[in-house]
Amino acid sequence: MKPIDFIKLILKHKIILIVTPIIFGLLAVVLTNNPKRTYQSQTILYTGIASGSSIVQDKTFNYLAANNAFDNLINIIKSRDTQEEVAIRLLSQHLSLKQPDSKFLSKEAYKGLQEILPEDIKDYLSKAEKLDKNGNIDYETIVAHLTELVNQENSNFVYSLLSFNHPYYSIEAISKVKVLRISSSDLVKLSYETDDPGICQQTLKIYIDVCIKKYKDLKESGSDAVVKYFETQLAQSENKLKSIEQKLLKFNQDNNIINYYEQSKAVAIVREDMGVEFNKSLAQLAGTRASTKRLEEKLAMQELIQQKNNAIVESKKSLGDLNYKISVLEAKANTDEAHANISKLKEQAKNIQNDIKSNVDELYSFQNTTDGVPIDKVLPDWVDKVVETEDLQAKIDVMNAQNKAIEKQFSTYAPAGANLKRIEREIAVAEEEYLEILHGLNLAKLKFQDTQLSSNLKEVDPPFFPLNPIPNKRKIVIIAIAFVSGLIVLAAILFMEFFDNTLKNEKKAAEKLELPSMGMIPKIFKAGSHINLIKIQDRLMDFIMQDFDRTFKVNNISKKPKIITVFSTRSNEGKSVITTNIARKLKASGHSVLVLNHSDEDKSKFSASRSAWLYKFLGYSDPRIDYNNPFLAEAKSYLDASEYKAYDVNHEYSHVKAYNELDFNADKNQNPDYILIELPNLLDLDYPSELIANSDLSLLVCRSNRLWSKADDNILDKIKEISGEKLKFIINGVEIKEIETLLGELPKKRSKVRIRIKNMFRFQFYTSNRI
C-alpha cells in the first residue's frame, strides 16, 4: 500500500475514526464520574545484602549471589504465609479496638467489620480478660486465637475472610503490597494502596514486622541447622577416632609392640646377620668335616700297612723256601726235568720278588702322605679337625635355635605390619574427617554469626499516614480509551482492506480470473456535484468500445454479423446493463445491432433502496442507486423493438449452436452488424457451449464486490477451453477511486493545500512546474 493510498483510506473513514474515540471517551467519562479515592503509603527497608558488614575476612562481592539473596527476600515478602500472617495480625489489631480510631481504621471500616463479625467471635472478644495499657483487648492473644481458627478448618469465618475478596483482610488485598528493590542498592521499598489511610499505614507496619521476623528466622534456622549438623557429625567422628585409637593400643599390647617400625627393622637386621653367619658356619662345618674325613682316610691306612707287612714277611718266607729248593735242585740237577723244575721255581721266585717289591712300594706309600708327609704327623691334625668340627656343630645348633626364634618373631611381625598399617590408615582417615568436620563447624559458626548480622533488616523510612489521596488517572484513562478505540477501528479498517479478497478492481480481477480485461464500470450511485459520474461512465465505455474494435481487427474478424455473447457465473452481476450500453454505443457509432436477452424484465430497477443518513453521517458516499443516470436507462428507450428481443430458455437451449436457433421472434430481413446475446447465469443452467465457441467475442461480467469461489473457477475453466483467446471480462460496480488507474486523477474541486499535501505523499514536488 502506497502512502497516498493509506491517506485516501484514512480520509474515506475519517468520520468513524473520529466519532468512535469520541463515543468511547464520553463513555469513559460517564463510567469514571465518581472515582474511588485511594491512599498510598510506603516504607523502605535496609537489607545490607550487597554492602553490609561481615565478620568473614576477604569476603568478595558476588553479584549473582546478591541478586539471588534479593530474590529470596522479595519472594519471602510476597509469600502466601507472610500475607496470611499480615492479614491475621491486621484483623486482630482492628478486633482489639473497643471503638474506632482513625489512626488504625476509619469509622466506616470499623462499622463494616462489626457488621460482618459472627457471634462466636463477638462472644470471644466480650469474654477476653487480658487487656493492654489502653484498655483494649490484648493484641497477641487475638492473633493466637485467630491463627488457631485458621489452622483448625477451612470453613470458619476467619479462613473465609482471608480467602475471599475482602478489601482489607483478604490475602488478595494484602498481595497488592508492591515490593521493589531500589536500583542496585541495598534498599527495598514496600508500597500499598487502599481507600483507608489508617489501614494503609498499619498494613505496611505489620508487613514490615512480619517480614523482618520471618526473614531472620529463616536465615538463622538454616544456619543453626548447619551448625547442629556439624556438631553432631563432630561428636560421631570423635567417638570413631577414639575407638580406632583404642583398637591400635590393644593391638600393640597383644603383639608387644612399642615401636613397630624400629622393632621390625631390628628383627630384620638380626635375621639377615644371623642368616649370613649361619651360612658361613655351615660352610666352615662342611670344610672341617671334609678335612676330618680326609685325615680319617689317611689314618685308616694303618691296617693296610700291617697287612702289607705280613704279606711281605710271608713272601720273604716263601722266597727263602723257593731259594732253598732251587739250591737243592741245582745241586742235584742232572736231568732236563730237574732243570725244568728249577726254571719254574726261579720263575715263581721272581714273581714273589716282584710281589715283595710291589708290597714294599705300597707300604712306603701308606706310611707317607701324597704330599710326602709322614703319617704320624697326620694324627694331630686329625684330632684338631675333629675338635673344630664338633665346635662348629654346636655353634650351628645354637644358631639354628636362634634362627627359629627370629623366624617366629618375624612371622608375627609380618601380618602385624599390614594390620598396623590398616589401623593407622583408619586413624589418618578419621583424623582427617575429624579435622574437616571441625573446620566445617568453625565455618558454619562463622556463617551463623555473619547471618545474624546480615539478617537484621532495618526500617529506614517508616510508613507514613497518608493525608491526601492519590491523584486519579481519570484523564489518562479517558484519553487512553479514546486512543485505543481509535487504534482498534483503524486496525480493523486496515485488516479488512488488507484481507479484502473480492475482485475489487481490474488488476486484481485479472490476477484471479487469468483473463484479459475489456474495461471496468464504476458503481452507479447518487454522486454529488463534485464528481461528473456520467462523463466518467461515457469515457470508460469509450475505452471498452475501442477495445472492441481492436479485438476484432487483431483477430481479423470482418464477417457480418459479429456474434458477442455476454454472460456471468452468478446473478445480479450487471450484464444486462452492460450489454444494452454496449449496444447503445454501437448504434451511436452507426452500426446496426440486435440484443438477445433471455428475459425482457428490467432488473436495474429492482435494487432495494438503502437508508442514506447513516452513510452520510459517517462521511461515506450515498449508497443509493441513481436510477436517473442515463447508464441505467431502459433499453427500449434507445433501442427499437426489432433491436431488442427476448428468447425463451427451453430444453433445447443447451444444444444451440447459432444465434438463430434460439427461441425468439426473428426478423428474416434483419441482418445486423453486431448481435449481443445475453446468456443466463452459468451456474444456474446448462449453457450452450457450441454457441459460445462459435461466437466472435465472449464477455464475462463480474461484480467487483463479490468473492470469486472455487465453483466460479471451475465453470470458467470450461469456458476458457471453449472460447480460448476470445474470452475477456468486464469488471462492474468498482469503487470510484479505482477508476483513476484508467482515467488518471478524477476531476474534483480541491484546495491548493490538499493538492500540495497529496503531491507530497506521492513524492511529486515539481508537478506544477511548466516545461
Side-chain angles (χ1 to χ4, degrees):
M1 181 181 289
K2 297 179 181 179
I4 188 63
D5 295 329
F6 178 75
I7 296 300
K8 287 181 178 180
L9 186 64
I10 296 297
L11 292 176
K12 178 182 177 181
H13 302 282
K14 60 182 179 296
I15 302 298
I16 194 170
L17 286 171
I18 295 172
V19 171
T20 302
I22 291 174
I23 293 174
F24 278 93
L26 292 174
L27 184 61
V29 170
V30 173
L31 294 177
T32 58
N33 191 29
N34 188 18
K36 187 178 181 180
R37 293 183 179 273
T38 304
Y39 297 86
Q40 183 190 44
S41 182
Q42 64 181 27
T43 183
I44 296 177
L45 287 176
Y46 174 75
T47 62
I49 292 174
S51 60
S53 60
S54 173
I55 62 174
V56 180
Q57 296 180 353
D58 301 329
K59 183 177 181 181
T60 58
F61 176 72
N62 190 325
Y63 182 78
L64 182 60
N67 284 341
N68 288 339
F70 272 107
D71 290 341
N72 293 337
L73 174 60
I74 291 173
N75 288 328
I76 290 172
I77 295 173
K78 291 182 176 180
S79 67
R80 178 183 172 85
D81 186 61
T82 303
Q83 294 169 356
E84 182 178 296
E85 185 173 350
V86 171
I88 292 174
R89 288 185 172 274
L90 181 65
L91 178 60
S92 301
Q93 184 187 66
H94 295 167
L95 291 177
S96 66
L97 299 175
K98 292 291 185 68
Q99 57 185 0
D101 188 346
S102 60
K103 180 181 177 182
F104 298 99
L105 79 166
S106 63
K107 293 181 179 180
E108 293 78 8
Y110 183 83
K111 182 179 179 182
L113 176 61
Q114 295 298 322
E115 289 176 354
I116 63 173
L117 281 179
E119 292 300 326
D120 57 338
I121 300 291
K122 291 181 179 180
D123 292 341
Y124 170 78
L125 296 175
S126 62
K127 296 176 182 179
E129 298 178 353
K130 193 174 182 180
L131 304 176
D132 60 10
K133 60 182 180 179
N134 296 324
N136 295 322
I137 305 171
D138 185 64
Y139 170 66
E140 292 296 336
T141 304
I142 300 176
V143 171
H145 179 69
L146 295 184
T147 304
E148 183 181 357
L149 289 178
V150 170
N151 295 330
Q152 279 181 357
E153 56 181 352
N154 57 6
S155 60
N156 56 58
F157 167 75
V158 180
Y159 191 90
S160 302
L161 193 65
L162 268 59
S163 301
F164 294 138
N165 55 353
H166 193 275
Y168 306 132
Y169 311 115
S170 66
I171 294 176
E172 181 183 355
I174 302 298
S175 64
K176 293 179 182 178
V177 174
K178 297 178 182 178
V179 186
L180 177 66
R181 181 185 179 186
I182 300 176
S183 187
S184 57
S185 66
D186 281 341
L187 303 177
V188 174
K189 182 172 73 173
L190 284 76
S191 60
Y192 184 53
E193 296 179 7
T194 187
D195 58 356
D196 191 310
I199 294 177
C200 184
Q201 181 191 29
Q202 295 303 320
T203 301
L204 284 180
K205 279 188 176 182
I206 295 172
Y207 217 122
I208 291 293
D209 295 338
V210 172
C211 290
I212 291 175
K213 179 177 177 298
K214 282 191 172 294
Y215 185 70
K216 187 173 183 179
D217 291 345
L218 181 65
K219 295 280 285 186
E220 291 183 358
S221 64
S223 299
D224 186 52
V226 174
V227 171
K228 289 180 180 178
Y229 167 77
F230 277 112
E231 288 177 345
T232 304
Q233 293 297 317
L234 186 67
Q236 293 177 359
S237 180
E238 185 178 2
N239 293 333
K240 180 180 178 182
L241 181 59
K242 288 180 179 180
S243 174
I244 299 174
E245 288 176 344
Q246 285 297 120
K247 181 180 178 182
L248 178 62
L249 178 62
K250 187 176 185 306
F251 181 82
N252 289 337
Q253 290 174 348
D254 293 343
N255 293 278
N256 297 321
I257 296 174
I258 299 174
N259 189 334
Y260 172 78
Y261 297 102
E262 294 296 330
Q263 288 178 267
S264 60
K265 182 179 179 182
V267 169
I269 292 173
V270 170
R271 181 173 179 268
E272 185 177 358
D273 292 343
M274 288 292 294
V276 172
E277 186 67 24
F278 183 73
N279 290 331
K280 184 177 178 182
S281 298
L282 285 177
Q284 289 179 354
L285 179 62
T288 55
R289 281 180 176 178
S291 299
T292 303
K293 185 178 180 181
R294 181 64 180 164
L295 291 173
E296 286 177 351
E297 288 177 355
K298 290 180 178 180
L299 292 175
M301 294 298 175
Q302 187 64 35
E303 183 178 357
L304 293 175
I305 291 172
Q306 188 64 36
Q307 292 176 358
K308 291 295 181 183
N309 286 330
N310 293 333
I312 291 171
V313 172
E314 290 295 332
S315 295
K316 285 181 178 181
K317 185 178 178 180
S318 298
L319 182 60
D321 291 339
L322 287 175
N323 288 330
Y324 175 76
K325 288 180 178 181
I326 292 172
S327 298
V328 171
L329 290 175
E330 285 181 346
K332 297 177 177 181
N334 49 13
T335 61
D336 294 332
E337 183 180 359
H339 286 290
N341 289 330
I342 291 171
S343 299
K344 185 177 180 181
L345 290 173
K346 285 182 177 181
E347 184 69 26
Q348 289 178 356
K350 187 177 180 180
N351 290 334
I352 290 171
Q353 287 177 355
N354 290 333
D355 290 337
I356 291 172
K357 185 179 179 180
S358 174
N359 288 331
V360 170
D361 290 338
E362 289 179 0
L363 181 61
Y364 179 81
S365 63
F366 288 157
Q367 289 178 347
N368 297 278
T369 64
T370 57
D371 298 327
V373 180
I375 200 166
D376 56 353
K377 295 182 179 180
V378 174
L379 185 60
D381 293 338
W382 176 77
V383 172
D384 292 338
K385 291 296 181 182
V386 169
V387 173
E388 184 179 359
T389 300
E390 292 298 327
D391 186 26
L392 288 173
Q393 183 65 48
K395 183 178 180 180
I396 287 172
D397 291 340
V398 173
M399 291 178 68
N400 195 18
Q402 290 179 346
N403 282 338
K404 289 181 179 179
I406 290 173
E407 288 296 329
K408 183 178 180 181
Q409 186 70 24
F410 196 80
S411 63
T412 302
Y413 275 16
N419 292 330
L420 185 65
K421 195 71 176 177
R422 179 172 56 81
I423 295 172
E424 287 178 346
R425 281 199 305 270
E426 291 179 1
I427 292 175
V429 172
E431 285 179 348
E432 186 177 356
E433 179 184 358
Y434 178 82
L435 293 175
E436 285 295 326
I437 294 174
L438 183 61
H439 179 66
L441 177 60
N442 292 331
L443 290 179
K445 288 183 177 180
L446 194 65
K447 181 68 175 176
F448 180 69
Q449 296 297 326
D450 187 59
T451 301
Q452 285 184 325
L453 287 177
S454 62
S455 63
N456 291 328
L457 301 178
K458 296 179 181 178
E459 189 178 9
V460 177
D461 185 11
F464 57 89
F465 187 89
L467 296 177
N468 298 320
I470 302 173
N472 58 46
K473 301 177 182 178
R474 185 187 181 199
K475 294 180 181 179
I476 298 175
V477 170
I478 293 171
I479 294 172
I481 291 174
F483 180 73
V484 170
S485 61
L487 281 181
I488 292 173
V489 173
L490 179 60
I493 292 171
L494 292 175
F495 182 84
M496 290 188 294
E497 182 71 17
F498 185 77
F499 290 99
D500 185 6
N501 202 29
T502 60
L503 298 178
K504 196 171 185 178
N505 54 38
E506 185 179 37
K507 181 181 178 181
K508 195 171 181 181
E511 292 176 356
K512 286 184 174 291
L513 302 179
E514 298 179 355
L515 290 176
S517 173
M518 199 79 169
M520 56 181 174
I521 302 297
K523 184 178 180 181
I524 302 172
F525 59 93
K526 290 187 176 183
S529 59
H530 62 287
I531 295 178
N532 191 348
L533 187 57
I534 297 174
K535 182 180 179 181
I536 292 172
Q537 291 166 342
D538 285 339
R539 187 58 186 144
L540 291 174
M541 285 303 300
D542 290 340
F543 285 158
I544 292 174
M545 299 315 297
Q546 288 174 6
D547 204 353
F548 255 67
D549 296 337
R550 185 170 59 255
T551 300
F552 290 132
K553 287 178 181 179
V554 169
N555 295 328
N556 293 323
I557 300 174
S558 59
K559 69 173 187 173
K560 184 179 178 182
K562 298 179 180 66
I563 308 300
I564 303 167
T565 53
V566 183
F567 55 85
S568 64
T569 58
R570 300 180 186 273
S571 60
N572 298 323
E573 301 283 343
K575 52 184 179 294
S576 297
V577 175
I578 291 176
T579 302
T580 54
N581 276 278
I582 291 174
R584 179 172 60 84
K585 281 288 184 181
L586 289 173
K587 185 176 179 180
S589 61
H591 296 287
S592 58
V593 296
L594 173 61
V595 177
L596 297 179
N597 197 341
H598 59 88
S599 174
D600 59 354
E601 188 177 26
D602 188 7
K603 296 181 180 179
S604 62
K605 306 291 192 226
F606 289 175
S607 298
S609 179
R610 297 181 182 179
S611 178
W613 70 270
L614 183 59
Y615 285 85
K616 290 180 179 180
F617 174 76
L618 295 177
Y620 300 123
S621 59
D622 195 335
R624 294 175 296 175
I625 298 173
D626 185 8
Y627 293 110
N628 295 323
N629 193 301
F631 199 75
L632 294 180
E634 294 185 11
K636 295 177 181 179
S637 63
Y638 49 81
L639 294 178
D640 298 335
S642 60
E643 294 173 334
Y644 186 86
K645 296 182 179 292
Y647 64 88
D648 293 330
V649 179
N650 51 32
H651 63 281
E652 297 291 337
Y653 165 72
S654 60
H655 304 291
V656 171
K657 298 179 181 179
Y659 78 95
N660 51 13
E661 295 182 8
L662 293 170
D663 187 8
F664 70 98
N665 187 15
D667 189 353
K668 296 180 180 180
N669 297 323
Q670 189 177 13
N671 187 20
D673 295 330
Y674 294 91
I675 299 178
L676 287 84
I677 305 174
E678 181 186 343
L679 301 180
N681 307 328
L682 299 183
L683 291 175
D684 294 342
L685 295 171
D686 291 338
Y687 54 88
S689 56
E690 293 189 26
L691 176 63
I692 296 173
N694 294 330
S695 61
D696 299 310
L697 179 64
S698 298
L699 285 179
L700 173 66
V701 179
C702 304
R703 197 173 68 252
S704 66
N705 62 346
R706 61 160 292 191
L707 294 173
W708 191 255
S709 65
K710 185 65 177 176
D712 297 321
D713 259 337
N714 293 335
I715 197 71
L716 182 58
D717 289 340
K718 295 177 182 179
I719 300 298
K720 287 179 182 178
E721 294 176 3
I722 297 171
S723 297
E725 296 181 355
K726 295 184 293 182
L727 180 60
K728 293 190 177 185
F729 76 91
I730 295 177
I731 186 77
N732 184 30
V734 299
E735 295 289 338
I736 195 68
K737 66 175 183 178
E738 305 292 344
I739 303 301
E740 290 186 355
T741 58
L742 292 180
L743 300 181
E745 190 174 356
L746 298 179
K748 292 182 182 180
K749 292 181 181 180
R750 299 180 177 91
S751 65
K752 290 183 179 181
V753 175
R754 183 173 180 179
I755 293 172
R756 289 184 181 276
I757 293 174
K758 187 174 183 180
N759 288 335
M760 181 179 67
F761 280 102
R762 287 178 171 178
F763 302 104
Q764 298 175 356
F765 303 102
Y766 305 104
T767 54
S768 60
N769 293 351
R770 298 181 183 273
I771 299 174

